[in-house]
Amino acid sequence: MFAAASPKQPAALYAKGLVDKPIEFATNTLALIVPKRNPAHITSVNEMTRPGVKLVICEATVPCGDYARSVFKNLGITAEAMKNVVSQTADVTQVVAEISTGQGDAGFVYVTDAEAANGKVTAITLPPEAKAGTKNTIAVVKSGKNQTAAHAFVAQVLSPQGQATLRAAGFGPS
Amino acid sequence: MSTAAPSGAPIDGNDARAWLPALGRLAVAVGATVVIVVVMAFLMLPIVALFTYQPIHDLIDGLGAKVATDAIIVSLKTNVIAFMLMIGFGTPFAYILGRSRFRGRSVVITLVELPLVMPPAVAGLALLVAFGRFGLLGHTFSMLGIDLAFTQAAVVIAILYVASPFYLRGAIASFEAVDQTLLDVAVTLGAGPVRRMLSVALPLAGAGLAAAAAVAFARGIGEFGATILFAGSFQGSTQTLPLAVYSLFDANLDQAIAIGVLLIIVSFAILLTSKLLVRSWTSSTSTSPSPGERSISAQH
């Protein structure tokens, strides 16, 4: 079973015949986060491009980094934003860590990660033109040894109970 | 090992008595060989796998990629700076601790070795809460206009913190092993404390210092945990070779392995240098330690 924060990776695996057809199981939204103390006094996405702001995003190869880059593109701030990037992490939780410790001034994570950070970071909602919505997809791996359990897990995720758990964590309906 | 062969087993007949010890020795030899082969295979197989994972030209291509060359430059720059700081501050420190006796000396030596046994990730956290922007000295630093977050200076600090105890420990032992009578002779010849250190103790302890420095340098080149936690990872700025391996692990395994091979070659070269230096040092007659001195050269 493979769950991803983006439709891209499961689709690539599906095209290679390695997984069953991916199913969208939840949606999420990218948000700008700042440390609770907010040392750079950032209250909107426009202030993030000020020179000297330390910005943390995921690497381009992982969904959260891919989404951050498309948000920059949609807002037309790619050059300014990328100039401020001081750290690129291998996963989204590391962005949260670097912002909650105050090493970075601002970062891009999913709202669910911002909520899970126990109040150590403040999330700033992105404007609609940023097109910050993201899709989570799930697929059963064909070479998996326990196909029954994998299918049962996917069914569980898609069931009302599974969906309620995801809503509680901040995920949106697919 | 041969002493482990069973002797005088209670078996009747002259023939048996004649071949039993030989059989025992053979069994021991076979057993010893199997142990050596199994342990060496376990240790070497992963390295062989790394070296043979891809054709040699792919390996060279991987090392020629921008992400690899950037990491080589970052690693070289930060490690050379950390190395110079380590030698510059660490050598006088080790000399003082190695040659003088004062209350609490053993406590200081134990504390110096503490970062050696500290997990690197913990060292990174410790540096973060000490020198980070919200750390113990964060406020002082920000008033002074110093911001270490995601800078090469942070990488240097992480390397220095994790690697320098390896140098300090070896250097203290090397200075301890210097023959006191030679230093006493220097006093009678009118040499002051600084001259005694530079002209007498330093040359005598030199090979030991170099061997310790080599080990510390290798540790610094391989530093990962403290660096990623304290300095972050950004290509061309804070991404050292080990961080590049981690970053490329999911994006481009071939390149990650190419960098891994390079790191193994560099580490092996440093290990070899350190071994040769220790050998030349221990075989040298001029540095035999005075009786009662604790020394690392006592292994011969």
Side-chain angles (χ1 to χ4, degrees):
Chain A
M1 197 283 299
F2 174 58
S6 158
K8 278 191 192 174
Q9 288 79 5
L13 293 174
Y14 179 61
K16 283 190 179 177
L18 296 171
V19 298
D20 290 348
K21 194 169 171 50
I23 306 160
E24 188 181 315
F25 69 96
T27 56
N28 212 335
T29 310
L30 209 67
L32 177 66
I33 56 164
V34 295
K36 202 169 178 217
R37 290 186 225 171
N38 200 359
H41 311 290
I42 292 163
T43 52
S44 79
V45 70
N46 303 321
E47 291 163 313
M48 178 203 87
T49 51
R50 273 199 321 251
V53 169
K54 289 180 184 253
L55 195 60
V56 182
I57 59 174
C58 294
E59 280 171 19
T61 48
V62 284
C64 50
D66 191 27
Y67 285 132
R69 283 164 179 79
S70 36
V71 162
F72 294 165
K73 201 168 160 233
N74 295 338
L75 293 172
I77 55 167
T78 302
E80 304 95 300
M82 289 310 289
K83 206 180 283 175
N84 278 351
V85 173
V86 290
S87 185
Q88 296 195 25
T89 69
D91 59 45
V92 68
T93 51
Q94 225 176 312
V95 176
V96 176
E98 292 187 354
I99 300 306
S100 61
T101 54
Q103 292 298 95
D105 293 320
F108 279 87
V109 302
Y110 305 107
V111 288
T112 49
D113 296 286
E115 269 180 44
N118 289 324
K120 294 224 166 183
V121 299
T122 309
I124 296 165
T125 311
L126 297 172
E129 61 269 28
K131 298 191 186 74
T134 70
K135 287 174 179 164
N136 297 62
T137 53
I138 195 166
V140 172
V141 179
K142 281 189 174 164
S143 62
K145 286 207 179 76
N146 198 338
Q147 292 289 316
T148 324
H151 283 287
F153 183 82
V154 172
Q156 178 73 16
V157 168
L158 298 170
S159 74
Q161 194 197 351
Q163 290 293 306
T165 310
L166 287 165
R167 281 316 90 70
F171 287 94
S174 54
Chain B
M1 285 303 242
S2 59
T3 53
S7 56
I11 293 184
D12 293 337
N14 288 327
D15 278 3
R17 248 175 240 130
W19 59 257
L20 253 181
L23 194 70
R25 278 197 297 277
L26 183 69
V28 167
V30 169
T33 310
V34 167
V35 167
I36 289 170
V37 167
V38 167
V39 172
M40 285 311 287
F42 175 69
L43 293 178
M44 292 302 118
L45 201 66
I47 296 173
V48 171
L50 266 190
F51 274 79
T52 55
Y53 179 81
Q54 54 196 332
I56 191 88
H57 57 88
D58 283 357
L59 209 141
I60 293 163
D61 282 356
L63 287 176
K66 183 102 172 65
V67 58
T69 51
D70 278 355
I72 290 170
I73 292 167
V74 171
S75 267
L76 262 182
K77 197 174 157 192
T78 52
N79 276 284
V80 165
I81 294 170
F83 187 79
M84 291 192 301
L85 289 169
M86 180 184 85
I87 301 294
F89 287 94
T91 311
F93 176 88
Y95 178 73
I96 295 163
L97 277 172
R99 298 308 312 176
S100 53
R101 297 287 175 271
F102 55 88
R103 276 174 75 89
R105 176 178 170 274
S106 56
V107 175
V108 174
I109 291 179
T110 308
L111 289 177
V112 163
E113 291 181 2
L114 189 57
L116 284 180
V117 293
M118 195 191 273
V122 178
L125 280 181
L127 291 171
L128 203 59
V129 293
F131 305 122
R133 289 167 101 192
F134 289 176
L136 222 51
L137 295 179
H139 188 64
T140 319
F141 277 2
S142 83
M143 288 209 302
L144 295 170
I146 302 169
D147 189 356
L148 293 172
F150 308 116
T151 61
Q152 279 190 348
V155 180
V156 171
I157 289 173
I159 291 169
L160 196 58
Y161 191 77
V162 170
S164 58
F166 286 87
Y167 175 66
L168 295 177
R169 186 168 72 161
I172 291 169
S174 303
F175 281 125
E176 274 180 345
V178 170
D179 191 345
Q180 182 60 40
T181 52
L182 293 172
L183 290 167
D184 292 342
V185 169
V187 175
T188 64
L189 294 173
V194 174
R195 181 112 190 264
R196 283 204 297 281
M197 178 197 158
L198 294 177
S199 319
V200 183
L202 214 51
L204 288 176
L209 296 181
V215 172
F217 189 68
R219 179 65 190 81
I221 292 279
E223 208 320 287
F224 173 75
T227 311
I228 199 159
L229 262 81
F230 182 56
S233 174
F234 191 65
Q235 190 184 331
S237 145
T238 56
Q239 191 174 78
T240 58
L241 286 165
L243 298 192
V245 169
Y246 179 64
S247 158
L248 289 169
F249 171 57
D250 57 355
N252 190 334
L253 189 61
D254 291 8
Q255 274 181 14
I257 288 174
I259 295 176
V261 167
L262 174 72
L263 280 170
I264 290 177
I265 292 171
V266 170
S267 315
F268 186 68
I270 298 170
L271 178 70
L272 212 59
T273 311
S274 129
K275 291 264 178 210
L276 292 174
L277 286 169
V278 169
R279 181 170 296 174
S280 74
W281 182 47
T282 48
S283 63
S284 151
T285 50
S286 62
T287 56
S288 54
S290 54
E293 285 269 9
R294 186 173 72 88
S295 84
I296 58 164
S297 69
Q299 34 186 261
H300 63 143

